[in-house]
Amino acid sequence: MPTERYYVTTPIYYVNDRPHIGHLYTTTVADVLARYHRLKGDDVFFLTGVDEHAAKVSDAAAERGLTPQQWADQNAAVFQETFARLQMTNNDFVRTSQERHKAKVTAYVAALLKSGDVYAGEYEGWYDAGQEEYVTDSKAQEYGFKSPINGKPLVRKKEKNYFFKLESYREAVATAIRAGEFSVRPEARCNEILNRLAEAKDVPISRTGTGGWGIPVPGDPDQTIYVWIDALFNYLTYVDTPERRPYWEAGVTNLIAKDILWFHAAIWPALLLALKKCPGYEWVRLPRGVYAHSFWISEGQKMSKSLGNFVDLARIDHYISTFSLDALRYFLATQGPLGTTDADFAEAKFIEVYNTDLANTLGNCFSRISNMTNRYFAGRVPSPAAAVAESQPYGHGAEEALAAFTKALEGIDLAGGGAAAQGLIRSIDNYIEQTAPFKLAKDAANLPRVGTILYHCAEAMRIASLLLWPVIPHKCEEIWRRMGLDYAQQMQASAGRGQLAQWCQWGQLQPGATIAQGDPLFPRYQAPK
Ligand code: MSP
C-alpha cells in the first residue's frame, strides 16, 4: 500500500502568557491524530508552536522591563518544555521570531505586493487591542465600544495600511468550501463563514507603531506585517523546504477553536489562492480543511483567573501526578469540546470517567486476564484449540471495533474512537461473565476450554490496546511490555510508522507467550476524606 502523508497543525499560541488547558487541549487532539495516522502507517508531520509578534507580547514585556524578544524567549521555552514533558510528538515547533519563518513571510508578502493582491491604502476603524483585531462599526456599537474579550475600551485608529484583496477571493473561497475542496468543520460552522464571506471587504494586513516588533513590510520598514498574517503563514513557512514540501502538497488539516475560525476559514485560504497566482508559487494549494472545536469551561463557568477556576499549568500537573498523563489525555480526548458545544472540565466528572473507563473497565479487565492466565496457565498464553460452546466464534467484535474506531478517527471524532475501544473491552468483560472461566477452572477437565476463553480475551485485549494507543500511549505500551508485544519497537524501526490494519487481524497472539502481572494500570481513585 503506498504511504499516505498526513499534515496536522494547531494554532500557534500567543506567548504573552503561560500555557493552559485550552492550549494543551488542541495540541493533545493533534497529537492523538498524529499518533493514529502514524500507527496506521502514514507519513505524518505534526506542527505546533507559538505566535510572538503580538502587541500584547510587547506590552507584557514592557510591564516587566524586558525586551519583547526576552519575554517571548522565556514563554516560548515554557510552551516548548511543557509540550515535551507531556510527550507531544510534534515534528517541529514554530517560533515566529525565527529567521526561517520571517524570511519566508517577507518573500510571500513581496510576491503579493508585486502581483497587486496587497496594495497600499488607509484604514480607519475601531481596534480591539486585546484581540489584535479591528471590529466593524456595527460590532463596535453592539459591544458598547468595549472589547468583548477583556472589557477594555476599543480604540479609534486611523493608519496608512497595506490591504489584502480579500474581496477578489471571497467567491473562490466560498466555492471551495461548498465543493468540499476546502472543508470547514464541524459542518454547523460553515454557514456562519459563508454568510460573512458574502460581505467580506479587503482587509488591512499591516500595522504602524509596533516599535519594530514584527516583520517589516518589504520596501516599507515603517510598517509591520499584521501579526495575524505573519502567524497564519506559519503553516506554510515551516514546510516550505524541499524535504517537507510533500506534506504541504498532501493538504494540511488546521485544528483550531471557534474563536479564530474567520482567520482560518476565510483569510487564510484567500491568501493561499492569491499566493498561488504568483510566479514560483504554483505549487501552493488550499488546506484540506480547518476543524474548529468549541471551548473548555471549568466547573460550569467560563475559565477565569479571578473565579479561581482556571486550569493552568499547576492544575494540569496536579491531574497528571494524581491520575497519570494518560488519564488526562483520555479525559481531554473523549470528553472534549470537539463538537459545537462547550465542554466542562470538572473534577467530579474527571474522577467518574477515570474510575469508570480506565480503572474499572480497561485496568480491571487487563488484571483479570493476566491474573487468570497466571493462576491457571503459569502466566503463558494458552492455546485456543478447544471448542467453547457458550460463545459465538470470537473475533467479530474486534473487527467491528476496528472499523468503528477508524471511521471515528478519520472524522476527528475522538469520543467515538474511545467508545469503539471501550466497547471492545466491555465485550471481553461480558464474555468473561458469560463463560465464567473462574468457575470452569475448578474442574481440571475444563482447562482446555478455559484456555480457549482466556486466549480470546487476551487477543481482544491486544487489539483494544492498539486502538487505545493514540490516546493513552504510555499505558498501552505497558500492556505491550507485559504481553511481550513489540509494536513500539517495530514502529521505532520504521520511522515511527505502524501497521494498524494488519496488527488488528485476529489470531496473532502466540500461545506460549508470557503475560506478566503487575501493578494496576489505573488504580481506582478514592477522593481523600
Ligand atoms: N495566536 C493566535 C493563533 C494564531 S494561529 C495562526 C491565538 N493564540 S491563543 O493563544 O489565543 O490561542 C487560541 C487557541 O487556544 C484556540 O484557538 C484554541 O486552540 C486554544 N484555546 C484557548 N482557550 C481555549 C479553551 N478555553 N478551550 C479550548 N481551547 C482553547 O489565538
mmCIF file of all heavy atoms in Angstrom, residues 30-46:
data_model
loop_
_atom_site.group_PDB
_atom_site.id
_atom_site.type_symbol
_atom_site.label_atom_id
_atom_site.label_comp_id
_atom_site.label_asym_id
_atom_site.label_seq_id
_atom_site.Cartn_x
_atom_site.Cartn_y
_atom_site.Cartn_z
ATOM 1 N N ALA A 30 -4.371 17.145 18.342
ATOM 2 C CA ALA A 30 -3.478 16.984 17.195
ATOM 3 C C ALA A 30 -2.523 15.811 17.419
ATOM 4 O O ALA A 30 -2.230 15.045 16.500
ATOM 5 C CB ALA A 30 -2.684 18.270 16.959
ATOM 6 N N ASP A 31 -2.063 15.653 18.649
ATOM 7 C CA ASP A 31 -1.141 14.558 18.958
ATOM 8 C C ASP A 31 -1.826 13.202 18.788
ATOM 9 O O ASP A 31 -1.234 12.260 18.264
ATOM 10 C CB ASP A 31 -0.614 14.716 20.390
ATOM 11 C CG ASP A 31 0.477 13.699 20.701
ATOM 12 O OD1 ASP A 31 1.535 13.763 20.048
ATOM 13 O OD2 ASP A 31 0.269 12.827 21.561
ATOM 14 N N VAL A 32 -3.081 13.113 19.229
ATOM 15 C CA VAL A 32 -3.823 11.853 19.071
ATOM 16 C C VAL A 32 -3.976 11.543 17.581
ATOM 17 O O VAL A 32 -3.751 10.410 17.142
ATOM 18 C CB VAL A 32 -5.204 11.943 19.764
ATOM 19 C CG1 VAL A 32 -6.074 10.739 19.414
ATOM 20 C CG2 VAL A 32 -5.041 12.050 21.282
ATOM 21 N N LEU A 33 -4.326 12.557 16.793
ATOM 22 C CA LEU A 33 -4.495 12.332 15.353
ATOM 23 C C LEU A 33 -3.161 11.950 14.704
ATOM 24 O O LEU A 33 -3.103 11.047 13.865
ATOM 25 C CB LEU A 33 -5.073 13.579 14.678
ATOM 26 C CG LEU A 33 -6.511 13.926 15.088
ATOM 27 C CD1 LEU A 33 -6.924 15.267 14.495
ATOM 28 C CD2 LEU A 33 -7.486 12.831 14.652
ATOM 29 N N ALA A 34 -2.089 12.632 15.118
ATOM 30 C CA ALA A 34 -0.769 12.325 14.554
ATOM 31 C C ALA A 34 -0.383 10.884 14.884
ATOM 32 O O ALA A 34 0.081 10.131 14.021
ATOM 33 C CB ALA A 34 0.273 13.298 15.095
ATOM 34 N N ARG A 35 -0.609 10.487 16.138
ATOM 35 C CA ARG A 35 -0.258 9.126 16.534
ATOM 36 C C ARG A 35 -1.128 8.104 15.804
ATOM 37 O O ARG A 35 -0.647 7.036 15.401
ATOM 38 C CB ARG A 35 -0.404 8.946 18.046
ATOM 39 C CG ARG A 35 0.690 9.628 18.854
ATOM 40 C CD ARG A 35 0.399 9.443 20.336
ATOM 41 N NE ARG A 35 1.304 10.182 21.189
ATOM 42 C CZ ARG A 35 2.404 9.666 21.767
ATOM 43 N NH1 ARG A 35 2.729 8.400 21.561
ATOM 44 N NH2 ARG A 35 3.166 10.405 22.546
ATOM 45 N N TYR A 36 -2.410 8.412 15.662
ATOM 46 C CA TYR A 36 -3.299 7.497 14.941
ATOM 47 C C TYR A 36 -2.806 7.299 13.507
ATOM 48 O O TYR A 36 -2.705 6.172 13.012
ATOM 49 C CB TYR A 36 -4.740 8.025 14.944
ATOM 50 C CG TYR A 36 -5.589 7.420 13.853
ATOM 51 C CD1 TYR A 36 -5.980 6.077 13.912
ATOM 52 C CD2 TYR A 36 -5.961 8.167 12.737
ATOM 53 C CE1 TYR A 36 -6.714 5.509 12.886
ATOM 54 C CE2 TYR A 36 -6.700 7.608 11.714
ATOM 55 C CZ TYR A 36 -7.072 6.280 11.793
ATOM 56 O OH TYR A 36 -7.794 5.708 10.765
ATOM 57 N N HIS A 37 -2.483 8.404 12.834
ATOM 58 C CA HIS A 37 -2.054 8.280 11.440
ATOM 59 C C HIS A 37 -0.713 7.551 11.332
ATOM 60 O O HIS A 37 -0.510 6.774 10.405
ATOM 61 C CB HIS A 37 -2.021 9.651 10.759
ATOM 62 C CG HIS A 37 -3.398 10.085 10.335
ATOM 63 N ND1 HIS A 37 -3.943 9.733 9.121
ATOM 64 C CD2 HIS A 37 -4.353 10.778 10.981
ATOM 65 C CE1 HIS A 37 -5.165 10.216 9.036
ATOM 66 N NE2 HIS A 37 -5.445 10.873 10.154
ATOM 67 N N ARG A 38 0.182 7.771 12.294
ATOM 68 C CA ARG A 38 1.451 7.030 12.247
ATOM 69 C C ARG A 38 1.203 5.547 12.464
ATOM 70 O O ARG A 38 1.773 4.700 11.783
ATOM 71 C CB ARG A 38 2.409 7.551 13.323
ATOM 72 C CG ARG A 38 2.913 8.938 13.042
ATOM 73 C CD ARG A 38 4.090 9.272 13.975
ATOM 74 N NE ARG A 38 4.340 10.692 13.939
ATOM 75 C CZ ARG A 38 4.024 11.544 14.923
ATOM 76 N NH1 ARG A 38 3.490 11.089 16.050
ATOM 77 N NH2 ARG A 38 4.258 12.824 14.794
ATOM 78 N N LEU A 39 0.321 5.237 13.433
ATOM 79 C CA LEU A 39 0.001 3.833 13.737
ATOM 80 C C LEU A 39 -0.567 3.140 12.501
ATOM 81 O O LEU A 39 -0.316 1.970 12.248
ATOM 82 C CB LEU A 39 -1.007 3.807 14.892
ATOM 83 C CG LEU A 39 -1.519 2.449 15.368
ATOM 84 C CD1 LEU A 39 -0.376 1.598 15.927
ATOM 85 C CD2 LEU A 39 -2.595 2.627 16.454
ATOM 86 N N LYS A 40 -1.324 3.886 11.736
ATOM 87 C CA LYS A 40 -1.927 3.369 10.510
ATOM 88 C C LYS A 40 -0.897 3.169 9.408
ATOM 89 O O LYS A 40 -1.136 2.481 8.437
ATOM 90 C CB LYS A 40 -2.882 4.478 10.038
ATOM 91 C CG LYS A 40 -4.169 4.054 9.490
ATOM 92 C CD LYS A 40 -4.968 5.308 9.155
ATOM 93 C CE LYS A 40 -4.984 5.541 7.679
ATOM 94 N NZ LYS A 40 -5.637 6.776 7.260
ATOM 95 N N GLY A 41 0.250 3.835 9.544
ATOM 96 C CA GLY A 41 1.295 3.691 8.529
ATOM 97 C C GLY A 41 1.549 4.951 7.727
ATOM 98 O O GLY A 41 2.399 4.964 6.833
ATOM 99 N N ASP A 42 0.822 6.023 8.020
ATOM 100 C CA ASP A 42 1.013 7.255 7.260
ATOM 101 C C ASP A 42 2.331 7.945 7.636
ATOM 102 O O ASP A 42 2.865 7.745 8.718
ATOM 103 C CB ASP A 42 -0.132 8.258 7.538
ATOM 104 C CG ASP A 42 -1.456 7.769 6.993
ATOM 105 O OD1 ASP A 42 -1.458 6.785 6.230
ATOM 106 O OD2 ASP A 42 -2.492 8.367 7.349
ATOM 107 N N ASP A 43 2.784 8.762 6.713
ATOM 108 C CA ASP A 43 3.958 9.595 6.946
ATOM 109 C C ASP A 43 3.427 10.943 7.452
ATOM 110 O O ASP A 43 2.800 11.688 6.712
ATOM 111 C CB ASP A 43 4.701 9.747 5.611
ATOM 112 C CG ASP A 43 5.924 10.625 5.736
ATOM 113 O OD1 ASP A 43 6.250 11.049 6.856
ATOM 114 O OD2 ASP A 43 6.546 10.890 4.684
ATOM 115 N N VAL A 44 3.656 11.210 8.736
ATOM 116 C CA VAL A 44 2.968 12.317 9.408
ATOM 117 C C VAL A 44 3.888 13.497 9.684
ATOM 118 O O VAL A 44 5.050 13.316 10.057
ATOM 119 C CB VAL A 44 2.385 11.809 10.757
ATOM 120 C CG1 VAL A 44 1.857 12.956 11.604
ATOM 121 C CG2 VAL A 44 1.285 10.781 10.501
ATOM 122 N N PHE A 45 3.346 14.689 9.533
ATOM 123 C CA PHE A 45 4.032 15.889 10.007
ATOM 124 C C PHE A 45 3.065 16.645 10.904
ATOM 125 O O PHE A 45 1.959 16.993 10.508
ATOM 126 C CB PHE A 45 4.495 16.764 8.837
ATOM 127 C CG PHE A 45 5.526 17.766 9.259
ATOM 128 C CD1 PHE A 45 6.848 17.386 9.436
ATOM 129 C CD2 PHE A 45 5.178 19.085 9.502
ATOM 130 C CE1 PHE A 45 7.814 18.296 9.853
ATOM 131 C CE2 PHE A 45 6.136 20.002 9.915
ATOM 132 C CZ PHE A 45 7.451 19.604 10.086
ATOM 133 N N PHE A 46 3.489 16.853 12.134
ATOM 134 C CA PHE A 46 2.623 17.480 13.143
ATOM 135 C C PHE A 46 3.363 18.721 13.660
ATOM 136 O O PHE A 46 4.480 18.643 14.136
ATOM 137 C CB PHE A 46 2.337 16.442 14.231
ATOM 138 C CG PHE A 46 1.872 16.957 15.580
ATOM 139 C CD1 PHE A 46 1.218 18.178 15.736
ATOM 140 C CD2 PHE A 46 2.069 16.175 16.711
ATOM 141 C CE1 PHE A 46 0.801 18.626 16.990
ATOM 142 C CE2 PHE A 46 1.656 16.607 17.971
ATOM 143 C CZ PHE A 46 1.035 17.834 18.098
#
